[in-house]
Amino acid sequence: MAIGAPVELWPEAERLIDALSPELVDLLDEMSGTMFCAKDVTGRYVLVNRTFVDRANRRSPRDVVGRTSAELFAPELAARYEEQDGRVLSEAWPLRNELELIRRPGGVPGWYLTTKLPVQRDGVVLGLVSTSRDLNTRDVHDQVIGSMARVVQVVEDRLGVGVTQAELAEVAGCTTGALDRRMRRIFGLTPKQFVLRARVDHATTLLTQTDLTLAEVAVRAGFYDQPSFTRTFVRLTGETPSVYRRKSRALATE
């Protein structure tokens, strides 16, 4: 990826780039429908792909790298991005599946699904990486997207206690059948699959960011017990929770 960095990278940028996989970054530059960026702990952009440059209405990565959100986006957007970044950087906690309205090239607004993850080395947060995927929902009414944003929030808020499809449908203001169709259209997942993925995502964060026992992780991620958690985790990730934790911590100290 042509990151467009100045000749002399600042120290925070060097540490963040050193922690990222060059192959992964190069791959993200090929994803025309997905914005990618990496920010250091000061909030400055270190890496961006071509799609991000286009959405920021800039000519090249060199016009973005080293700048902050406030220098590139409208004040209301920049404030939201900085609030999200602050949480990810200060708490080392991921932000997943955030529905956002972002302007496409030409000024046409479109809905994107944003995920932001902290980048750490030896337990120290070096920055964050972020992707925003264009949902291509030009034929979907904004009220439908808004209802899905509420559903995502309820799922996140109730990971430890569980939520039924009927309850999610009530939140979305539709029938369970309509909810299923909407979530398949926007997320490519059924409501059950979406909730399960959210639980496993939360479990991976707890495994890497806390010293909770596997039984405690299972409960906090909304699983009935540790055996059911382990079975589901292995089925979706190919590894047991304990192996995942050990490998993740080993990678973080390399």
Side-chain angles (χ1 to χ4, degrees):
M1 175 183 293
I3 64 173
V7 175
E8 294 292 333
L9 285 173
W10 59 99
E12 295 88 352
E14 290 179 337
R15 287 194 290 270
L16 178 57
I17 290 175
D18 183 57
L20 297 174
S21 164
E23 295 81 8
L24 177 60
V25 172
D26 287 341
L27 175 64
L28 288 166
D29 207 27
E30 302 297 322
M31 300 173 66
S32 60
T34 299
M35 299 167 61
F36 166 80
C37 72
K39 285 184 173 182
D40 67 13
V41 291
T42 70
R44 289 181 289 179
Y45 291 99
V46 175
L47 293 170
V48 293
N49 68 352
R50 184 70 245 178
T51 302
F52 187 99
V53 173
D54 293 340
R55 299 302 188 271
N57 197 28
R58 294 301 190 272
R59 292 184 178 181
S60 76
R62 288 184 177 274
D63 298 324
V64 177
V65 171
R67 297 178 182 271
T68 65
S69 298
E71 296 175 282
L72 296 173
F73 299 102
E76 62 274 13
L77 287 178
R80 188 173 78 221
Y81 298 157
E82 290 172 356
E83 189 273 333
Q84 293 172 346
D85 297 345
R87 281 187 286 143
V88 174
L89 293 171
S90 64
E91 302 173 18
W93 209 255
L95 173 75
R96 301 183 190 274
N97 298 319
E98 185 86 355
L99 279 166
E100 298 187 300
L101 192 63
I102 300 175
R103 292 196 177 277
R104 300 187 178 99
V108 179
W111 287 98
Y112 287 72
L113 200 61
T114 295
T115 291
K116 297 185 177 184
L117 305 175
V119 177
Q120 300 183 77
R121 178 68 61 83
D122 296 329
V124 177
V125 176
L126 304 178
L128 63 82
V129 289
S130 170
T131 60
S132 294
R133 178 169 59 89
D134 190 342
L135 295 176
N136 291 312
T137 53
R138 294 174 178 84
D139 58 336
V140 179
H141 197 282
D142 283 355
Q143 288 183 346
V144 172
I145 298 291
S147 71
M148 291 300 95
R150 294 193 297 273
V151 166
V152 170
Q153 188 61 57
V154 169
V155 170
E156 294 291 337
D157 290 344
R158 299 185 59 180
L159 283 175
V161 296
V163 60
T164 67
Q165 185 168 336
E167 290 172 325
L168 292 179
E170 183 177 355
V171 169
C174 64
T175 65
T176 55
L179 176 69
D180 186 88
R181 291 190 294 274
R182 290 179 184 182
M183 296 195 74
R184 286 176 184 270
R185 170 71 178 84
I186 294 173
F187 301 110
L189 299 168
T190 66
K192 182 178 179 180
Q193 290 170 331
F194 185 88
V195 171
L196 190 59
R197 189 179 72 171
R199 288 175 175 170
V200 172
D201 282 344
H202 187 52
T204 61
T205 300
L206 294 174
L207 288 169
T208 56
Q209 303 294 330
T210 75
D211 292 320
L212 294 172
T213 66
L214 296 185
E216 290 171 327
V217 170
V219 171
R220 293 201 184 189
F223 290 91
Y224 178 72
D225 55 23
Q226 184 179 333
S228 65
F229 164 54
T230 298
R231 286 194 299 271
T232 301
F233 197 91
V234 170
R235 177 164 59 85
L236 295 182
T237 69
E239 297 178 332
T240 65
S242 57
V243 169
Y244 182 91
R245 168 176 272 173
R246 184 170 64 252
K247 287 184 176 180
S248 297
R249 291 185 173 180
L251 288 172
T253 58
E254 288 183 355

